């Protein structure tokens, strides 16, 4: 580990800069609407413009390579459909198997005579609608329509699942493929003897199969980003069988091949429409806002138009109003999916910052509000005021346990990229480095994720900027950790935003891990300033 003295010297070079001084040359101010609007970028986030995917791909396009790379190590399967169905509550329904057999008998000749993917859509939609026990949900052919462009990718599911006839409420997105060579997976011969396998040899390695996995992952990622969801169901359908999938912030669970006359498949499509919206993946704590008073004032404070839709987020009987269209969630299919909202607290009658994320449960990581409380007691400078923190119930995901987590903080109006002159940018980063130094020295807390997305600022009454270091959910309380674990256990797994990580962390391997320390964060400040300058 490098010495503390060296760290203080390197941090001091930034923290001693007076960014609000008026002497000396300055960079001309940037336009108010200019400059990049850039957030933290996940690893392997390589995506480009889109094109039709029904054709056989000759190479794996970069836009699909990114989604495939992020999800490929987070696949659990094949899992027997009987076990998969336990994600939803059982339903006592008579005639399920009889209806399924009838639906299959109508589908089978259509699949046998289909000459291309287009011939399959209508028959599959009829089959799926025949399986449902009620009209709670509807399956619709939408192969001709682009839902939206998401992170440079055309989101164009072949079959959309809606709540009743309300096409604004999406329940699932299905993809249809004519060729079985497009299947990203293949079952092993011993599947029937063991309902859950490890993922070795389950994924295919061809360009076509990788493209399909990237495609269906892009749909699920978009679905979870556009709405407040805990998980999302999906399906891949081929001429002779289908697979069910369940995506969450930890990865994806995939079934083995399911024939269209399989009773367990009929059972799933009986359970799915009968489940509550929360069981199908919708976050039940987020609802449409129903304001009887203060509407005009709230809209003014949130800076939104008269008819812009508002949402209510409920946390422990406290209600917070947010603008629905504050931008989509994470463009990564896995991870914390952090969203920050400008919100209005009905109880306190003021604007606050509401952060919504999925924190990984780990003995090394404390809830973020506990870290803020420790920093405040140590009188750490340039951190936002803590209002409230709440960890919701644990949700068992594919390979880790996550907790849905929300924290309410002092509202900070500007992101780092919204500075007006270079001197302001340096001053903002300087203030953040002071917070980092104080936390490490006074509170014994390591931040471990220095990035552009984690530095914000406000303008004081005198017009000068003040920077803040936020997003402490990956930080470590060193004093507490070191009492329980060795130093190598605490730090061997490097954390942070890839493009700002210290070089030695990027060069480390599983065979030769390195210890992530405070000086690595100081180097991240350097990479951040360089990135902003470019």
């Amino acid at each position: 580990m490098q010495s503390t003295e060296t760290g203080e010297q390197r941090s001091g070079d930034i923290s001693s800069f007076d960014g609000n001084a008026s002497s000396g040359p300055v960079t001309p101010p940037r336009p108010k609407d200019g400059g990049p609007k850039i957030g933290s970028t996940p690893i392997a986030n390589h995506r480009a413009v889109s094109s039709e995917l029904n054709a056989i791909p000759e190479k794996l396009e970069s836009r699909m390579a990114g989604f495939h790379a992020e999800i490929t190590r987070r696949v659990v399967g094949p899992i027997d459909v009987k076990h998969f169905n336990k994600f939803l509550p059982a339903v006592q329904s008579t005639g399920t198997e009889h209806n399924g057999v009838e639906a299959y008998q109508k589908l089978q000749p259509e699949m046998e005579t289909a000459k291309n993917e287009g011939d399959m859509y209508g028959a599959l939609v009829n089959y799926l609608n025949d399986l449902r026990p009620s009209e709670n949900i509807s399956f619709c052919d939408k192969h001709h329509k682009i839902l939206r462009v998401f992170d440079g990718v055309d989101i164009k599911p072949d079959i959309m699942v809606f709540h009743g006839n309300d096409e604004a409420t999406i329940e699932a997105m299905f993809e249809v493929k004519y060729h079985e060579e497009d299947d990203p997976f293949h079952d092993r011969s011993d599947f029937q003897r063991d309902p859950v396998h490890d993922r070795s040899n389950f994924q295919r390695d061809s360009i076509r199969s990788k493209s399909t996995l990237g495609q269906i992952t892009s749909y699920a990622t978009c679905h979870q980003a556009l709405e407040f969801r805990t998980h999302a169901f999906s399906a891949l359908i081929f001429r002779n069988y289908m697979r069910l999938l369940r995506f969450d912030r930890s990865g994806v669970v995939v079934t083995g091949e399911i024939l269209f006359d399989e009773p367990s498949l009929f059972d799933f499509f009986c359970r799915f429409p009968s489940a509550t919206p929360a069981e199908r993946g919708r976050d039940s704590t987020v609802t449409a806002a129903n304001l009887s008073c203060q509407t005009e004032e709230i809209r003014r404070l949130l800076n939104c138009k008269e008819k812009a839709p508002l949402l209510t987020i409920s946390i422990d009987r406290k209600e917070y109003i947010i603008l629905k269209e504050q931008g989509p969630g994470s463009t990564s299919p896995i991870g914390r999916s952090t969203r920050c909202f400008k919100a209005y607290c009905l109880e306190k009658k003021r604007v606050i910052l509401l952060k919504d994320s999925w924190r990984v449960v780990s003995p090394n990581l404390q809830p973020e509000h506990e870290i803020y409380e420790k920093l405040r007691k140590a009188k750490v400078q340039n951190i936002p005021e803590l209002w409230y923190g709440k960890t919701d119930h644990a949700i068992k995901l594919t390979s880790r346990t996550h907790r849905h987590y929300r924290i309410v903080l002092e509202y900070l109006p500007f992101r780092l990229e919204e500075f007006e002159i270079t001197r302001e940018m340096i001053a903002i980063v300087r203030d953040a480095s002071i917070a980092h130094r104080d936390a490490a020295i006074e509170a014994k807390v390591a931040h471990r994720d220095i990035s552009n997305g984690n530095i914000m600022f406000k303008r004081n009454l005198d017009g000068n900027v003040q920077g803040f270091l936020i997003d402490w959910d990956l930080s470590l309380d060193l004093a507490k950790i070191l009492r329980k674990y060795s130093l190598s256990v605490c730090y061997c797994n490097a954390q942070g935003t890839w493009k700002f990580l210290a070089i030695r962390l990027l060069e480390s391997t599983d065979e030769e891990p390195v210890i992530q320390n405070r000086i690595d964060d100081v180097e991240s400040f350097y990479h951040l300033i360089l990135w902003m300058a470019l």
Side-chain angles (χ1 to χ4, degrees), residues 41-60:
T41 305
I43 298 174
N45 188 17
H46 310 297
R47 294 154 205 173
V49 295
S50 58
S51 62
E52 184 59 49
L53 269 176
N54 288 334
I56 297 175
E58 296 180 358
K59 62 180 180 179
L60 185 60

Side-chain angles (χ1 to χ4, degrees), residues 228 283 285-286 313 336-341 354-358 404-407:
F228 288 84
D283 186 346
T285 65
V286 182
I313 297 181
R336 294 174 294 155
S337 186
T338 301
R339 309 189 202 194
C340 292
F341 300 100
L354 192 156
K355 176 181 171 182
D356 178 282
S357 65
W358 290 84
H404 197 186
Y405 180 77
R406 287 175 174 142
I407 186 170

Side-chain angles (χ1 to χ4, degrees), residues 46-96:
H46 310 297
R47 294 154 205 173
V49 295
S50 58
S51 62
E52 184 59 49
L53 269 176
N54 288 334
I56 297 175
E58 296 180 358
K59 62 180 180 179
L60 185 60
E61 300 177 18
S62 60
R63 66 199 177 95
M64 290 301 131
F67 284 113
H68 174 271
E70 290 189 80
I71 201 66
T72 187
R73 294 186 179 181
R74 301 293 184 91
V75 175
V76 176
I79 181 172
D80 192 305
V81 64
K82 292 179 182 178
H83 293 266
F84 187 90
N85 286 350
K86 293 179 181 179
F87 282 124
L88 298 169
V91 177
Q92 297 296 328
S93 178
T94 58
T96 299

